[in-house]
Amino acid sequence: MAKPYYVLCCLALFFGHSTLAQVVARVTVKAGAVDRHHSIVRTPFAAEAGYTYKLVGLENGRKVNYVPQMEDGIMTWRLEGDLPANTERQYDLVREKIRGVWRAANPEEGVSFEEKDGGYTISPGSFKALHYRAETMEPPAGVDTAYRRGGFIHPVWTPSGKVLTQIHPKDHYHHLGIWSPWTDTEFEGKTVDFWNLAKRSGTVRPIASPRNRRSNGRVFGGFRQVQDYVVLGNPDRTAMSEELEVIVYGKPDENITWDYNSTLQCASAAPITLNEYRYGGGFAIRGAEEWNNANSKVITSEGKTRKDADGSVARWFIIQGELKGGKGGLLVLSDPNNFNSPQPLRVWPENDQHGQVFANFSPTKNKPWPLVPGQTYAQRYRIVTFDGEMTAEEAEKRWKDYAVPAEVTLESVRRK
């Protein structure tokens, strides 16, 4: 996800082995120039095995007690309520011996990971956020078997359970909920299409890998999954590898927030170029089946709509409209460090495809992206799903909070 700006004093904290709770660091969170609301805070921290940690402080005159989640050398938690611009909060980081394995005390606590239906379903509390398809899915009966594929997200739900995505629509059987559609690429002198599966040129396959990970916890849950971009032939050959990380955060308000982080690298000694093309990689969504040009709308950070969004650039976009059971939608935020940011958009105009909804952050829409062996290339997005409607003002606030994370300082406390 987006890397926070931080000042980290004493990255590795060396402590004794007292069984009593002990303050080991002072933590300061500074809002900077951005108003914060239920902000996600992530900062590097070397947690010591065998111990659990909590953050204790005062917010609005009330004592608060956060239990952050420690994973991959990162400490993560969510602030409660508002942290206005140019203010700060301080906490004691308290360490104590682990007394058992954490388990959710009630259905509303934490984020769970469940392996089911050929993939993974991630749920904050009792709400389902999304399902990732890890196994190969067959296309509908009677449809060309070339459309077999895994490695996509569907369904995506609003907090009340309305479905925001669709797969295998009759007009485009290769549309798969949410995915990265790398369409026009060049590998070893040949053009390879990893999206238009009927060409039998390329495909995407989730694979077993020691880099794969699944997690659940108090603050977030999700997975890391390696996906191969395979050139079909005799034999097949992997041209590009993707490490897809999805992080779903606990639900402090009426929305569900999750990160879609894609890291690409060459799979061999041969480079690959993601060619300039109107559709390309990044983040794509095929919207809900019931959406059309009369009951849904697209809004971008630059004030564009389906009338003029296609070919424009944006920091975020909203898709929202009428669903079964009421209104709902999602906001997609693009990290400012992504390639070719602010990224170009491919958005179906309102009269295309009978008004159906397709939107794509397409970083190679107006320039190629050459990938060379030995390097990694990250694309990061944050998604907020909601019931009802979201305003452009709310979207802009969320983008600022995501794009310019709060500054976190840790200062070790020495034992006397």
Side-chain angles (χ1 to χ4, degrees), residues 10-21:
C10 299
L11 177 61
L13 300 175
F14 297 96
F15 313 123
H17 296 280
S18 169
T19 59
L20 300 176

Side-chain angles (χ1 to χ4, degrees), residues 22-44:
Q22 176 189 357
V23 176
V24 295
R26 310 289 185 198
V27 179
T28 303
V29 180
K30 295 182 179 180
V34 176
D35 288 325
R36 312 285 173 179
H37 180 70
H38 292 313
S39 287
I40 296 161
V41 181
R42 288 167 61 86
T43 189

